[in-house]
Amino acid sequence: MACTPVLRHLVNKLYGKYVHKDDRELLNFVFAKNPTQELLDNCFSVCDIEALGAGKCILLSYLAHDNPDLKLSKYAGPRITGLITYYRFANMKTLSHFSRIGKAYNAAGIPMVLFKGGAMKVLRPELPRPMGDVDILIPADRIEEATRIGEGLGYLHYKEESKHAVDFHTETESAVDVHHSIFDPDRDLKQFHDGLFARATPRRAFGVDSLLPCHEDLCFLVMANLTKNLREHTSLGNLYYALCDCQYLQKASSFDWGLVWRDAVVCGQELEIRFAAEFMNAIVADTIPDLDKYFPADPAMEAFCNQVIFDEDYFLPRQKECQAIRVVELKNNPWKFGSFIAKFLLMKKLRHNPAFVDWYLRKQCPQEFMDAH
């Protein structure tokens, strides 16, 4: 089943929102199959690297690393070098927290699987990248012990913050997310977790004995995380790293897209992975090859897309406005603000009901709804 109209509508909608016009020349160069000096010079003539921001400009160092014959301009060169130095030291600070916690887990015999940015840093240690923390997965039955160890080392966490991880941090810095489940435990993920550990290989990482997932498992997690970030508005400044990671991971000679899809099926993430693939390919063509062969579309995709559009256009903006309401405003005008909050709470209760979402979208924007479907 090819890309459905509503899926295409959603991909175009989010592409227009998150892939800015100024990014195009940068993307054309960073993801060029045959990068040339002419392409690089043209990129710098169009893109203001000061305006692009560090998270995007650091991608230029990836190409420079793989193509040492390309020469950065006198203006851009020192700035890119400065970014590399900055992220190298920023990564060292983040990884020092992982090293401290990880060594304590080694001593306690708690196995851990590295994933997300920490895993990619192990695979490509010479390349800098933005890393807010380090993510690890441990067996679910060791989480209480692991939490006590982190607390004993002086790290802070909020127990109610997550249903699937303990977020260790200091008063000023993020440190390590210790997952006992990759996703919120709304379904049994034991089969996936067992497979993830079984396929992982032992790796000494930053002074810690850990496990590194196979490339296919990492690719699945990168794609699932991309969809999560788009849906929940988290880590949006680093969207393009997902494309870099997927392109790098699939270079493995024995890479098996079938395993990526089996991961999605076991985790109930088929719709999320197909959506991530479509969005990636909209940014850089053929990042994920043969979509219909490897990631077949599902009739449930329409309801999934409606949910994302509802959240993007109506639920998340209202949630943000509710969070900004001050107590004094609610006290002085309880009817106006109380009614606004009550509608939000009703939307929150019904937001996962497909019939409600379908009705709401038809009511709020009937023409756009009809055009999309």
Side-chain angles (χ1 to χ4, degrees):
M1 184 185 297
C3 183
T4 62
V6 67
L7 176 56
R8 177 55 54 201
H9 171 78
L10 176 59
V11 167
N12 290 340
K13 182 184 186 74
L14 295 182
Y15 178 94
K17 183 173 183 178
Y18 295 120
V19 182
H20 304 141
K21 183 179 179 181
D22 292 344
D23 293 352
R24 284 307 329 165
E25 288 300 327
L26 175 70
L27 292 168
N28 287 341
F29 174 68
V30 168
F31 294 102
K33 292 182 179 179
N34 297 298
T36 63
Q37 188 67 45
E38 182 181 0
L39 277 175
L40 176 59
D41 293 342
N42 185 65
C43 174
F44 286 137
S45 70
V46 175
C47 298
D48 182 351
I49 66 171
E50 307 286 0
L52 283 171
K56 295 174 184 175
C57 284
I58 201 67
L59 292 173
L60 293 168
S61 71
Y62 285 38
L63 239 337
H65 175 271
D66 293 338
N67 299 272
D69 54 314
L70 298 179
K71 305 299 181 184
L72 298 172
S73 69
K74 292 182 179 180
Y75 176 82
R79 287 161 173 77
I80 299 299
T81 301
L83 281 176
I84 293 171
T85 303
Y86 168 80
Y87 279 116
R88 181 177 294 118
F89 281 100
N91 289 166
M92 287 172 61
K93 181 181 288 188
T94 301
L95 293 170
S96 69
H97 292 301
F98 165 69
S99 179
R100 187 165 179 242
I101 292 175
K103 288 176 180 177
Y105 288 175
N106 281 168
I110 300 175
M112 69 199 88
V113 173
L114 269 169
F115 63 106
K116 291 188 180 179
M120 296 306 302
K121 185 67 177 172
V122 173
L123 288 173
R124 310 183 82 182
E126 72 282 1
L127 297 180
R129 66 183 293 133
M131 280 174 48
D133 54 26
V134 176
D135 290 88
I136 63 174
L137 174 71
I138 68 170
D141 60 0
R142 306 294 298 270
I143 188 62
E144 291 186 7
E145 180 186 0
T147 301
R148 289 195 301 271
I149 290 173
E151 291 170 345
L153 293 172
Y155 288 97
L156 308 172
H157 69 95
Y158 300 112
K159 293 182 180 179
E160 71 281 2
E161 190 173 69
S162 172
K163 296 178 181 178
H164 66 277
V166 177
D167 171 22
F168 284 122
H169 56 273
T170 70
E171 291 185 354
T172 58
E173 299 168 353
S174 296
V176 179
D177 268 358
V178 182
H179 293 247
H180 54 87
S181 176
I182 289 290
F183 306 109
D184 283 338
D186 56 354
R187 62 181 293 156
D188 183 5
L189 295 177
K190 185 178 184 305
Q191 182 181 350
F192 173 66
H193 291 157
D194 288 349
L196 194 66
F197 273 93
R199 290 185 292 270
T201 55
R203 193 73 174 258
R204 186 78 174 169
F206 318 114
V208 175
D209 291 326
S210 58
L211 295 166
L212 195 67
C214 70
H215 282 212
E216 291 86 350
D217 288 337
L218 277 175
C219 189
F220 163 69
L221 292 171
V222 167
M223 296 175 74
N225 195 55
L226 172 64
T227 298
K228 173 182 175 291
N229 287 337
L230 286 168
R231 294 193 65 179
E232 299 180 10
H233 292 186
T234 52
S235 302
L236 290 171
N238 299 321
L239 287 177
Y240 304 143
Y241 286 89
L243 284 85
C244 286
D245 292 347
C246 278
Q247 287 197 352
Y248 172 80
L249 290 168
Q250 65 181 281
K251 289 179 182 178
S253 59
S254 60
F255 191 87
D256 178 12
W257 284 109
L259 176 53
V260 178
W261 183 248
R262 291 193 292 276
D263 282 347
V265 172
V266 168
C267 294
Q269 294 273 320
E270 301 99 309
L271 301 175
E272 287 81 355
I273 295 304
R274 173 66 190 233
F275 169 74
E278 292 281 1
F279 188 72
M280 285 178 165
N281 281 0
I283 299 175
V284 179
D286 299 323
T287 296
I288 311 297
D290 299 323
L291 285 193
D292 291 328
K293 176 182 177 181
Y294 294 116
F295 303 142
D298 189 293
M301 182 60 81
E302 183 167 318
F304 173 84
C305 292
N306 284 344
Q307 176 75 63
V308 177
I309 293 169
F310 171 80
D311 287 348
E312 186 78 15
D313 289 355
Y314 304 105
F315 177 75
L316 290 174
R318 184 173 284 261
Q319 176 176 263
K320 187 175 182 180
E321 290 179 60
C322 284
Q323 291 169 340
I325 294 173
R326 297 180 298 169
V327 173
V328 65
E329 292 174 324
L330 185 59
K331 181 179 179 180
N332 292 339
N333 200 335
W335 173 251
K336 175 184 176 182
F337 292 108
S339 175
F340 190 84
I341 293 173
K343 289 180 180 178
F344 164 72
L345 294 175
L346 181 62
M347 291 170 68
K348 185 175 183 180
K349 185 177 181 63
L350 296 174
R351 62 187 284 244
H352 293 299
N353 183 311
F356 168 74
V357 170
D358 185 86
W359 168 81
Y360 196 93
L361 293 178
R362 289 177 185 272
K363 180 176 180 292
Q364 293 297 320
C365 197
Q367 189 56 54
E368 182 180 353
F369 182 88
M370 295 304 296
D371 290 345
H373 293 73

